[in-house]
Structure formats: C-alpha cells, structure tokens
Amino acid sequence: MTMKENERLVCPRCGNETIARKYRANDDFLAPVYRLKCALCDADLGEISAPESPDAGHDRAAARLSALLGGETTQKVTLERGDGYRRGCRNCRNFVSHPFKAICSLTGNETDPMHDCGKFVSREEKK
C-alpha cells in the first residue's frame, strides 16, 4: 500500500492517529529513496506514492490563476534580451573604471556604471 506525505492515518505500531512523515531512507545523492514513518513513534509505514511531474504544480497554479481571472488563459513568460541589453556605461568602450571614480572618457565627467547614454559604443564592436 502506498501513501502520500502528510496523510492522516492510524499507526499500526502505536495505534494512535498520526501523520505520515517523509524521510530519506538512503545516503545516495543521485538516487535518493524516500519512505514514510509515523510522526509519533517513528515506525516505518512504507513507500511514498509516485511523485507528480515537476510541471504539475505549475499547471495547477496556472489553472487557479485562470479561474481567478475569469477563465482567461495566461501565457508563459519568456525572458529575451531586448535592444537595450548591456547598454549601460560599464559596457561602453569610453568607460574608465577607477577604484574611487567611474569616468566617461568622452565627457571627462564622473558617471554611473549603470547609466544609459546616447553616446554608447559597445566594447565588442570593431573599430
């Protein structure tokens, strides 16, 4: 008989109503084996039922969000580099880094390394 973690049951050893706790049954890092035991007397209760796929929790959360929004479906967000990627002064050819100041060699003024200016020239571009 397989059970789930945190399932309420009557322990066959101590006879009390308890909760099944998950514990690691071996020390193998790559293939851990998990079993259940009684939260009160530590009696072994058996194996854990087959785990869900990693995306199952995400799918349930997306379904709950969709129900909250009135049935609208949500799209998966992707993070893509846009046009402004790496356009800060620290990635500019004219940026001079100093332990006490960050200076723009074009203007000679102190600048913020994360500043984005119109005179940006990428360090990777060929001259």
Side-chain angles (χ1 to χ4, degrees):
M1 177 175 124
T2 58
M3 292 176 267
K4 295 180 182 175
E5 183 181 10
N6 298 327
E7 182 178 330
R8 290 180 169 262
L9 62 123
V10 175
C11 176
R13 182 170 154 201
C14 67
N16 294 321
E17 186 175 335
T18 185
I19 296 174
R21 260 187 0 187
K22 179 172 85 168
Y23 75 99
R24 194 173 188 155
N26 67 350
D27 292 330
D28 189 2
F29 180 73
L30 298 176
V33 175
Y34 293 102
R35 295 188 58 87
L36 296 171
K37 63 181 172 180
C38 173
L40 300 174
C41 69
D42 287 340
D44 186 33
L45 299 174
E47 298 177 354
I48 296 178
S49 60
E52 297 177 342
S53 68
D55 292 336
H58 174 73
D59 294 340
R60 282 195 309 272
R64 286 194 307 259
L65 178 62
S66 175
L68 179 68
L69 296 175
E72 296 178 19
T73 57
T74 57
Q75 297 177 353
K76 201 169 204 174
V77 176
T78 58
L79 300 176
E80 296 179 8
R81 298 176 177 173
D83 294 336
Y85 179 71
R86 294 181 57 109
R87 287 193 54 89
C89 284
R90 67 187 172 115
N91 297 316
C92 181
R93 183 180 303 153
N94 301 313
F95 180 71
V96 179
S97 180
H98 185 271
F100 303 110
K101 279 187 175 181
I103 303 169
C104 177
S105 64
L106 289 177
T107 62
N109 296 332
E110 187 173 352
T111 184
D112 178 24
M114 300 304 290
H115 182 254
D116 186 20
C117 75
K119 300 174 186 172
F120 176 81
V121 179
S122 177
R123 288 185 187 187
E124 286 89 27
E125 289 180 8
K126 304 278 185 202
K127 289 185 178 181

